[in-house]
Amino acid sequence: MKPIFKHGLAAVALTLISGTAMAAEHVVEMKNAGADGAMVFEPGFLKAEPGDTVKFVLTDPAHNSVSVEVPEGAEGWQGAINKEITVTLNEEGVYVYKCTPHAPLNMAGVIQVGEPVNYDSAKTAVDEVTAAAATNKDRLVGYLEQVEK
């Protein structure tokens, strides 16, 4: 019986290790210009799984990433200007974020992690960010429309 117990214990340990090893790292670039126009995050919409990380990479100067809406139980973030930041997404839901200096240009993005459990509050946040923007009014709304309900 001891060899079976050892093998079973090893199988459980490998399962736990592989569960954490399967978490993905996604890269979002902070750019002055991209496929969706001026002052953008690329990609502007990202689908991830619980436990994944997102690394916001500074491609051009004078950007940051700051959370606007996160699911209940999730930690928000506030990246410094001109600094990369890596965020771990542990809770399911919709995350909305922006670049503080370029919020008037609607430099913002959406991340869906698993089920969109906070979709309504994310939509409210998107509406508020978009209403405060001077340009690119359809951009963030378009990203939210990609959320799979």
Side-chain angles (χ1 to χ4, degrees), residues 20-117:
T20 57
M22 291 177 58
E25 180 181 79
H26 306 273
V27 174
V28 174
E29 295 179 325
M30 300 181 278
K31 303 174 82 172
N32 288 347
D36 290 339
M39 303 303 169
V40 294
F41 291 99
E42 277 192 352
F45 173 78
L46 177 66
K47 185 135 183 185
E49 294 299 323
D52 286 0
T53 59
V54 176
K55 183 176 185 179
F56 292 91
V57 176
L58 187 67
T59 303
D60 295 306
H63 299 295
N64 72 339
S65 175
V66 175
S67 61
V68 176
E69 166 65 23
V70 299
E72 186 174 331
E75 288 188 36
W77 66 89
Q78 182 160 350
I81 301 292
N82 290 326
K83 299 287 183 185
E84 294 182 358
I85 183 171
T86 300
V87 178
T88 302
L89 307 169
N90 289 318
E91 302 297 328
E92 284 194 319
V94 180
Y95 295 71
V96 179
Y97 59 92
K98 67 180 181 180
C99 172
T100 306
H102 299 113
L105 303 175
N106 215 3
M107 184 173 178
V110 173
I111 303 168
Q112 179 180 356
V113 178
E115 295 297 317
V117 295

